[in-house]
Amino acid sequence: MPPGAGVGGSPGGQPDGTGQESLSNGDDGAPLGRELEIARLLKAIKDHGVKNVVFLTGDVHYCAAHHYSPDRAAFTDFEPFWEFVAGPINAGSFGPNTLDGTFGPRLDFEAHGPVMGSPRSGEHQYFGHVEIPEDGREFRVRLINAAGRTVYSRTLTAA
């Protein structure tokens, strides 16, 4: 269940004909449909005291960093978490739709190409790199384009 494709609805409830392609539904209210699965997962993570949760999401044709917080959400029974989105590196790039507010996303960073059929120069194809030092106290993430340029980086410290 990739959050970028569901929790925040980065495809924003992207329709597939009359069906729904992402986990989100484009409705900022209480969880409905497949969002109920994410709500149960987030609540279980909180109830079991799991700390420092980060979602890594791929295959959404852009890169982004989202922070989720119950302070901004319609569904509030979860702990704040981060999501980092990148990829796929070998495909055309295009931007996301509007974030679904059900789980309180805040866009921290976003990069994408102009259109799906844009030239694959590497400037708008992305991958991510995660580093966790041996002591486990930090989580370092970089979003990198296929030309090798870091377009975003963040270091999270264990709580």
Side-chain angles (χ1 to χ4, degrees):
M1 287 183 266
V7 171
S10 293
Q14 180 71 27
D16 186 9
T18 60
Q20 197 66 35
E21 196 169 272
S22 68
L23 291 176
S24 70
N25 60 17
D27 178 343
D28 292 338
L32 298 169
R34 293 171 63 191
E35 291 174 329
L36 292 168
E37 296 174 25
I38 297 291
R40 283 192 294 270
L41 173 66
L42 294 176
K43 180 178 179 350
I45 289 169
K46 177 184 175 186
D47 289 351
H48 287 90
V50 178
K51 302 289 183 203
N52 305 312
V53 172
V54 173
F55 286 89
L56 303 174
T57 302
D59 197 17
V60 289
H61 299 267
Y62 64 95
C63 73
H66 305 125
H67 182 262
Y68 294 83
S69 175
D71 296 338
R72 298 183 294 267
F75 175 80
T76 60
D77 199 5
F78 69 97
E79 295 294 333
F81 64 92
W82 280 90
E83 172 192 39
F84 301 102
V85 179
I89 196 169
N90 66 337
S93 177
F94 56 92
N97 293 322
T98 304
L99 290 170
D100 179 322
T102 299
F103 300 103
R106 183 193 77 224
L107 179 66
D108 193 55
F109 172 79
E110 177 183 290
H112 55 82
V115 295
M116 178 68 161
S118 62
R120 297 192 181 145
S121 65
E123 188 64 29
H124 299 294
Q125 286 75 40
Y126 307 96
F127 66 96
H129 179 269
V130 170
E131 180 183 8
I132 301 173
E134 194 172 312
D135 67 7
R137 302 284 308 150
E138 291 183 340
F139 179 95
R140 301 174 190 152
V141 64
R142 291 187 302 141
L143 301 176
I144 305 164
N145 70 15
R149 185 172 63 87
T150 297
V151 295
Y152 175 88
S153 66
R154 177 167 289 277
T155 298
L156 304 176
T157 305

